[in-house]
């Protein structure tokens, strides 16, 4: 086999994947070198680990049933030619890799908690190193496995299933035009996994948290993380299943699908009517993969900048974490230029600015998230103050703070999309048709901006997954009755974790929004491909085939926003995030209620529990949370899979596109609203607990606790679930496109 | 002058208007025949009347400034040919008539409150008659003045400004093609007035309500409507300015603009390339006007069915009110058939089903609203129960109830749009272009469904405006220390008012949604007209002009949902309801806070107030609320006027359409969510106060009060404000279309 430069570039992707996995392994090894501390600490850590393991086991068993059903459905669709034959298998690998990432991430996080507590007893920097190393393992496993999955499939398709001889440029480009659309359907495995992880994990973590607080703190009057509380282990398990496994699966999905969507958009952008445009689709498809590989390398470099002095203040801790991310982003900025230059050439150097705009948008959205949710800024401080007037005012003000905070991200995403569209050569001269030449190039630029935002995911996710580890370490320090100094240090680490969690959420939402945007366009490309496949090409030129496909598309699809199909689809799409949020919030309420009943029962029936003489039955609470999570994740999952198909059958392809746009707009905004309102309520409460406005136990504090109770499912269940919703709807639509088109063509033929 | 049948039909509109106004005058006279009761009652009623008068005076002074500025802006635009010369004048008349309706409605409502209390002391049926008669005055004034405004302008344009000779059919149809688009810009006066009435009234009423409750009920422990509470008069004034004037202006706007939008859509639907299609645009334009006139007549008939026995139960009271509406709706169903048959002919009888679908949708949306918000059904009862777990759970459950309740209305509107589209002859065969023939007919059908929903507005609004009168009557009975039996009766009337208010809100939102939908399409027609006007028609056939206009449109507009302009517009549009809600909720908070301070001051400084020996300074509270309302209505008004223009300049016509669709989808859903969550919280509280779950003073009640506090601005300020927002954005866009197009054409010429 011979290779040309562009094709060689693709090998950077598996290289980056292996590098990421190797680094994750090294980091894991470094974590395991630390001691888990005293026997009591080991015992507690073991309970948490076992609880998390039990949750994952049950979760994966439940998910396996869903995957089994879906493989059959997808298999049948493949059999009838409504789907390519690779999708069922890719569905499995996507789910498998995402699940593995979640499993390993939980494993390391639940192994690092006691070690962080022990290390913190020796020094703050040491504690930070352990917790952050554990976060890094999660970050790099997600990136490594994601990139690995994509690379393996890419090379399988290229060299095994669609092989070509020699290095003929036109053939290579025609080849990628075959490969890219196939890969587009591959996101569904990772997306399904993300939904279950987000909803299941979100229900678990908040049921445990709210349940533990309602009975423990409020009724029994014992402090947080008190070992007498039967729900305390479940609460610590929840931190892991929600913030580690859930967040990881969510970003795994964004990462994978923004890359495949950009890959798919490279084809219409640089390959038109059988002719190569500019550098051609092979070079253009290489860009996101190379960018991802570069991102791995610079993220690893970034991690070495995360260190602090022994007696660091909280501010310098934050600075240390930030430094790592900034170094990584800076290096991407520097490295992306030659990547674009060598792959796309001087004429398309504008694409570089699309990449820049994605990076900048990510930083800006995170900054605004921090502004609205951190108690070092006005909004949350003012929210805190309104608690003095009672629960009503802090709730109204929290809701309006959340609503207000949606404006900036929308404007940022809007500007970023416009900049990347035009920078990548997009033009609004529609004379060539909407997907002719430069318009598609602009959309390719938008896709790249999403990839760019996610390129440093390794280190971003590390800062994020570090939080729950520090949180758990604090819990263990409390339960194992360690020196109060240790708890102080873990609190410093934890408090930082709240800030990185907030910015991480902004980042997760921003990237989900851009990824979903790219997917809508990719969906339409997918429709075009399916239609083109069905055309009898005998004796037709490539141009004639394209024209015939366009004519066929015009029969069944009209994307004008005034088409009633699009408008109604839009309305239905916009209502889905509301439905989804309602279901998940109610789910948390029900699950928390069952925990309340169980904790009350244990307090009553287990003699000597309150005196610390008897041991609580932690496992019962973990089991309850696990069961609730499994049960409650079914209805949202059914909605996400069924609604796009039903809308497609009733309103056709145009209705589906309307639905995707509507759910993107409403879901993106609702997700930000819920995350920021929840974060602000949480921090407003913490601000009072820090001694402001009367401190703990004051009326203001009681009002703030009500705000926090409402905010919990907002920020940790419904809000994050919406990230997945908006992406998964698109992915499901893409996978079922063949079915919908066949039905539309049948109906069109039937009526005409 | 000679007339043909179709043209004669138009005279039914002014006839209907005069009939409505005459009936309103008779009803008003019947109200004034009743006694205002004792001197104390008269005095209280006078205070409320004066407060309402003071509010309106200041409100209208503030609005006059805005109107002054707008007239100058519109005048300048007319001067430069960016707007027809009639708009500034129509803007004034629209505002004037809407303002007059508000003024008269308030006048009668504040004159009927004491009379209702007095009548209720004589019997329940008598009380109902007075309150309902007062509501009817409001209902029929709104309908009468709205229809009058439209008719006057129509005849002015037809016979004075665009006169034609004789009864040549083609000329008459060409004439209406000139008149209809001109009238489309006329909604802006009514829309601006509606915004101020909704936001100003909404802030006033909730500031007074929340402020009175926070200090009076919670701090001082005195009952609701206690004369010792200095904010009690402001609270009663608030019922009128919010629920009478605000609701009236909102529905006035929906009524007027759904008629003009349908009028405007009649032209492209039945007049193509200078040729008449089917019955032609004159006949098609007559339909909405005749339907409105028929609606007046049947609504009057309906009012005679609203009566009950002397010792009626609450159930039979509701039945009495419902009967009136059902009779009216039934008569429209019967009368619409011959209207369509004679005006459009057998071929277009399908339009009749578009009318039916609008009527059915209105009833269904109201039914679902009642289901979700009335404590006779499960959802609110369950919500009530969750209050036993504390404020957090009732808030979470109320929010999810609100979110869940948005699904049914979206599905209903979706089905209704599809049914009316296809029934009116719409087809999704896009081969003729999006606005060719049957597609436009379908959209005309959608417009008619909105007109149909609003056709019985006279009696619907009567049932709705009756509520605050009964509410006020209860307050007066309490303050004037009347026999507890009277209070019981007014409570029965008031409780009924809450149910009709809830269904009225569903109706207001549903019609606003359909009206906004119609306006989006009308906006695009407006763009086409403006572009066609600018084309040099010398030597061109009508068809050639249309083709040239289309070519010019294609240069500056592409409505495909994947166009980044549309997508970003969509996102911006979807964020506006969130921004608007945040601003209005914060406004209520600030205003209520100022009332709290003032009431506290009076309790402290006025000696003997608590003992009932000294009189509170009611006027100070009314003044404060008035001032707050004036100040707080400015930012939302600025947003609504500025954003469409800025979006237009930055993202062009396509961006504007995207914005309108986004704000419609998100705003419609948010409005339902907020109205229903608020209504359910209110009734959950009342359910407990009725003695369930521990009754007044229990912990559950305290939690329910928190829910109600959050729900107050939801249901009475932000939610209803969104109805106006989604319509006004379209209207502003339509009015400023000329400016945006000129700018787009300039930029397009500049870059190409």
């Amino acid at each position: 086999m011979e290779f040309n430069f562009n094709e060689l570039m693709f090998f950077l992707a598996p290289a980056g994947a292996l590098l990421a996995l190797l680094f994750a392994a090294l980091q894991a090894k470094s974590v395991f070198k630390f001691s888990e501390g005293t026997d009591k600490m080991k015992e507690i850590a073991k309970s948490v680990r076992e609880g998390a393991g039990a949750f994952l086991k049950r979760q994966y068993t439940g998910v396996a049933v869903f995957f089994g059903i879906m493989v059959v459905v997808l298999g049948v669709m493949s059999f009838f030619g409504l789907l390519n034959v690779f999708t069922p298998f890719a569905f499995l690998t996507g789910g498998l890799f995402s699940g593995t990432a979640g499993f390993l991430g939980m494993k390391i996080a639940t192994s690092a908690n006691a070690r962080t507590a022990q290390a913190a007893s020796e020094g703050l920097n040491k504690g930070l190193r352990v917790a952050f190393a554990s976060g890094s393992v999660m970050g790099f496993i997600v990136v490594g496995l994601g990139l690995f999955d994509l690379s393996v499939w890419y090379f399988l398709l290229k060299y095994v299933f669609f092989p070509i001889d020699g290095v003929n440029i036109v053939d290579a480009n025609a080849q990628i035009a075959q490969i890219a659309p196939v890969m587009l359907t591959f996101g569904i495995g990772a997306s399904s996994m993300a939904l279950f992880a987000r909803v299941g994990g979100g229900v678990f973590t908040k049921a445990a948290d709210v349940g533990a607080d309602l009975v423990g703190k409020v009724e029994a009057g014992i402090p947080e993380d008190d070992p007498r509380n039967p729900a305390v282990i479940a609460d610590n398990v929840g931190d892991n299943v929600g913030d580690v496994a859930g967040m990881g699966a969510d970003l795994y999905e964004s990462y994978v699908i923004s890359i495949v969507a950009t890959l798919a958009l490279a084809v219409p952008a640089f390959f038109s009517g059988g002719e190569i445009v500019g550098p051609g689709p092979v070079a253009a498809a290489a860009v996101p993969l190379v960018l991802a590989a570069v991102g791995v390398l610079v993220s690893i470099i970034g991690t070495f900048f995360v260190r602090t002095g022994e007696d660091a203040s909280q501010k310098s801790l934050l600075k240390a974490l930030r430094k790592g991310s900034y170094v990584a982003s800076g290096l991407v900025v520097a490295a992306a230029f030659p990547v674009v230059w060598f792959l796309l050439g001087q004429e398309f150097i504008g694409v570089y600015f699309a990449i820049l705009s994605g990076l900048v948008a990510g930083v800006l959205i995170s900054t605004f998230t921090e502004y609205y949710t951190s108690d070092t800024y006005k909004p949350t401080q003012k929210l805190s103050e309104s608690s003095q007037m009672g629960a009503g005012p802090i709730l109204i003000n929290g809701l309006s703070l959340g609503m207000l905070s949606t404006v900036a991200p929308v404007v940022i995403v809007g500007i970023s999309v416009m900049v990347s569209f035009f920078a990548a050569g997009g033009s609004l001269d529609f004379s060539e048709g909407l997907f002719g030449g430069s318009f598609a190039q602009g959309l390719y630029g938008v896709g790249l901006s999403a990839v760019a935002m996610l390129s440093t995911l390794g280190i971003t996710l590390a800062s994020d997954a570090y939080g729950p580890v520090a949180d758990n370490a604090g819990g263990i320090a409390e339960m194992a009755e360690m020196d109060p100094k240790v708890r102080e240090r873990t609190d410093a680490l934890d408090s930082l974790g709240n800030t990185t969690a907030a910015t991480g959420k902004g980042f997760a939402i921003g990237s989900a929004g851009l990824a979903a945007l790219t997917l809508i366009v990719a969906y339409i490309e997918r429709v075009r491909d399916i239609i083109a496949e069905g055309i009898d090409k005998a004796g037709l030129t490539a141009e004639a085939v394209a024209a015939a496909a366009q004519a066929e598309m015009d029969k069944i699809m009209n994307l004008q926003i005034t088409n009633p199909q699009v408008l109604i689809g839009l309305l239905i799409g916009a209502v889905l995030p509301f439905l989804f949020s309602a279901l998940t919030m109610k789910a948390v309420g029900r699950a928390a209620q069952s925990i309340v009943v169980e904790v009350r029962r244990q307090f009553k029936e287990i003699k000597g529990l309150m005196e610390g003489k008897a041991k609580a039955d932690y496992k019962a609470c973990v089991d309850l949370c696990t069961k609730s999570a499994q049960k409650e994740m079914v209805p949202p999952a059914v909605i996400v899979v069924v609604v796009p198909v039903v809308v497609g059958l009733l309103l056709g392809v145009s209705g589906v596109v309307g639905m995707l746009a509507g759910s993107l707009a409403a879901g993106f905004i609702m997700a930000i609203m819920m995350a920021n309102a929840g974060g602000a309520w949480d921090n407003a409460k913490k601000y009072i607990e820090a001694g402001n406005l009367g401190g703990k136990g004051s009326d203001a504090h009681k009002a703030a606790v009500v705000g926090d109770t409402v905010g919990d499912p907002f920020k940790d269940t419904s809000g994050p679930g919406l990230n997945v919703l908006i992406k998964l709807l698109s992915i499901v639509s893409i996978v079922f496109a063949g079915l919908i088109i066949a039905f539309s063509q049948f109906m069109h033929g039937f009526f005409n």
Side-chain angles (χ1 to χ4, degrees), chain A:
Chain A
M1 270 190 270
E2 292 173 78
F3 298 101
N4 73 6
F5 173 72
N6 289 343
E7 290 188 301
L8 273 176
M9 283 291 118
F10 282 90
F11 285 94
L12 285 179
L18 295 179
L19 182 64
L21 293 174
L22 184 70
F23 183 71
L26 287 175
Q27 292 290 93
K29 223 176 139 190
S30 81
V31 169
F32 281 108
K33 265 195 289 190
F34 285 86
S35 153
E36 268 205 299
T38 65
D39 282 349
K40 188 149 192 194
M41 288 165 70
K42 278 181 196 158
E43 191 199 319
I44 299 167
K46 200 175 152 223
S47 301
V48 174
R49 200 154 49 236
E50 281 175 1
F55 168 78
L56 271 198
K57 198 176 160 192
R58 176 125 38 166
Q59 169 102 347
Y60 287 175
T61 314
V63 169
V65 174
F66 175 82
F67 268 63
I69 297 171
M70 283 299 286
V71 165
V72 172
V73 171
L74 299 179
V76 170
M77 283 176 62
S78 299
F79 182 79
F80 284 106
L82 299 169
L83 199 62
N84 65 73
V85 290
F86 308 105
T87 304
F89 300 98
F91 175 73
L92 283 179
T93 61
L96 200 69
F97 282 120
S98 173
T100 308
F103 174 75
L104 295 175
M106 290 270 279
K107 193 97 191 162
I108 188 76
T110 54
S111 298
N113 46 15
R115 291 184 166 88
T116 301
Q118 177 61 25
S121 76
E122 296 165 33
L124 188 60
N125 185 32
K126 229 172 168 183
L128 174 67
R129 289 299 303 170
V130 179
F132 185 73
S134 147
S136 305
V137 176
M138 179 68 185
F140 285 94
I141 282 179
V142 162
V143 171
L145 288 180
L147 213 44
F148 184 73
D149 190 19
L150 289 180
S151 312
V152 166
W153 273 106
Y154 177 78
F155 288 111
L156 269 181
L157 292 172
K158 184 171 167 74
Y159 295 108
V160 180
F161 295 112
F162 300 116
I164 51 166
D165 291 329
V167 289
N168 180 307
I169 291 292
V170 174
D171 283 354
N173 284 306
Q175 183 192 34
I176 201 151
Q178 284 191 290
I179 294 173
V182 169
M183 288 188 72
L184 191 56
T185 59
F186 287 6
I188 188 161
S191 288
S192 309
M193 208 67 200
L195 183 77
F196 291 120
R198 271 299 197 196
V199 176
V203 169
F204 186 115
T205 183
K206 287 302 117 179
D209 187 4
V210 174
D213 283 0
L214 277 181
V215 191
K217 274 203 228 174
V218 181
E219 287 183 19
I222 54 178
E224 182 142 3
D225 288 330
D226 192 295
R228 288 170 294 175
N229 192 331
V232 71
I233 295 291
D235 190 7
N236 278 285
V237 172
D239 292 340
N240 291 294
V241 303
D243 290 346
V244 177
M247 175 72 96
D250 181 358
L251 285 165
Y252 182 98
E253 183 204 12
S254 287
Y255 189 73
V256 167
I257 66 178
S258 64
I259 293 175
V260 293
T262 310
L263 210 86
L265 288 174
V267 176
F270 297 98
F271 197 61
S272 178
E275 300 280 329
I276 292 172
V277 178
V282 173
V287 177
L289 287 166
V290 174
L291 204 58
V294 166
V296 169
L297 186 66
V298 301
S299 293
I300 290 176
I301 297 174
T303 60
F304 292 105
F305 286 84
V306 182
R307 51 180 72 242
T308 181
E310 257 340 301
D311 279 309
S313 65
Q314 196 170 326
K315 220 175 178 178
S316 68
L317 273 178
L318 185 59
K319 227 171 126 188
L321 277 181
R322 287 267 161 82
K323 206 171 168 189
S325 294
Y326 286 159
V327 165
S329 297
L331 289 173
V332 172
V333 169
F337 192 84
V339 168
V340 175
W341 184 278
F342 285 115
L343 280 167
L344 302 182
Q346 194 180 347
E347 195 196 337
F348 288 92
I349 196 65
V351 166
Y352 174 66
F353 295 97
I355 292 172
L356 270 194
S357 89
L359 282 165
V360 171
V363 172
L364 284 181
I365 291 176
S366 293
T367 308
F368 271 99
T369 307
E370 200 189 328
Y371 171 73
Y372 277 108
T373 58
S374 159
D375 64 11
T376 49
Y377 297 101
K378 273 266 165 67
T380 298
Q381 286 173 2
K382 283 206 159 177
L383 180 65
S384 229
E385 281 163 26
S386 71
S387 69
Q388 292 172 300
M389 288 177 61
I394 196 175
L395 279 155
I396 294 178
N397 284 320
L399 286 168
S400 32
L401 179 152
M403 290 178 180
L404 209 58
S405 73
T406 62
V407 177
V410 163
V411 172
I412 292 166
V413 164
I415 293 174
S416 166
V417 166
M418 270 298 167
V419 167
S420 39
F421 181 83
F422 285 115
S427 143
L428 294 175
D429 183 356
F430 305 108
S431 49
E432 293 180 53
L434 196 54
F435 284 89
S438 59
F439 188 82
Q441 281 167 18
L443 297 172
Y444 166 77
V446 175
L448 261 190
S449 75
V451 174
M453 193 189 271
L454 288 160
S455 61
T456 57
L457 181 60
I459 191 160
T460 324
L461 194 48
S463 319
D464 214 36
Y466 137 101
V469 174
D471 194 353
N472 259 230
I476 290 175
E478 185 80 28
M479 283 185 270
E481 290 158 4
M482 292 172 78
D483 191 328
K485 212 174 177 179
V486 180
R487 176 80 203 206
E488 257 170 49
R489 285 188 191 143
T490 58
D491 273 357
L493 292 174
D494 181 23
S495 152
L496 192 60
N498 285 327
T499 307
T500 59
T503 52
K505 261 168 202 153
F507 181 80
I509 298 169
S511 60
L514 277 183
L517 197 69
T518 318
L519 281 176
I520 296 179
V521 184
Y523 172 72
I524 298 163
E525 274 312 300
R526 178 85 195 117
V527 170
R528 178 184 310 274
D529 280 326
I530 292 172
I531 288 174
E533 272 166 29
I535 285 171
D536 184 7
K537 296 180 192 68
L540 291 183
T541 64
E543 276 193 359
V545 171
Q550 186 63 50
E552 187 66 21
M553 272 178 98
D554 287 345
K555 270 192 213 155
I556 61 162
M557 178 171 104
N558 181 312
L559 295 184
Q560 302 256 26
I561 206 164
T562 40
N563 174 358
Q565 296 172 310
V566 176
L567 265 178
I568 296 170
L570 191 73
L571 272 168
I572 292 173
V575 93
L576 288 179
F578 288 81
L579 173 60
F580 185 88
S581 303
L583 291 178
T584 45
M585 288 200 310
K586 275 195 185 293
V588 170
R590 269 192 302 267
Q593 176 65 14
S594 71
I595 293 296
V596 166
V597 171
E598 170 63 20
V599 173
R600 279 192 193 142
R601 184 195 67 80
Q602 291 200 20
F603 274 135
K604 212 169 108 189
E605 293 180 8
I606 302 179
K607 303 279 174 227
L609 178 57
M610 274 304 279
E611 295 76 35
K613 285 176 196 154
K615 225 182 121 179
D617 181 3
Y618 301 130
K619 216 171 152 290
C621 289
V622 173
D623 281 352
L624 257 181
C625 286
T626 302
K627 268 186 217 155
S628 301
Q630 299 318 303
K631 206 176 63 189
E632 301 290 0
M633 69 189 191
V634 176
V638 170
I639 287 173
V640 177
V641 176
V642 169
V643 171
V645 178
V646 171
V647 168
L649 295 176
L650 291 178
L651 297 173
V653 175
S654 320
V656 172
V657 175
M659 179 199 70
L660 296 180
S663 71
L664 166 62
F668 180 68
I669 293 167
M670 282 276 283
I672 297 169
M673 193 275 260
M674 298 184 103
N676 288 355
W681 274 318
D682 190 1
N683 286 326
K685 186 194 69 174
K686 291 205 170 109
Y687 184 72
I688 295 175
E689 286 173 353
N692 299 299
L693 306 168
K696 266 192 184 180
S698 63
D699 280 348
H701 183 241
K702 276 178 201 148
V705 167
V706 175
D708 188 36
T709 313
V710 177
D712 266 341
F714 263 47
K715 73 181 201 308
D716 291 322
T717 313
S718 304
L722 292 173
N723 292 352
V724 182
L725 178 80
I726 58 178
K727 289 174 288 182
L728 188 49
L729 285 172
S730 307
I731 287 283
V732 171
S733 303
I734 286 173
V735 169
F736 286 92
L739 178 69
I740 303 306
I741 291 167
F743 184 77
S744 296
Q745 285 175 329
F746 169 76
M747 293 299 280
H748 192 266
F750 188 78
F751 281 118
N752 287 278

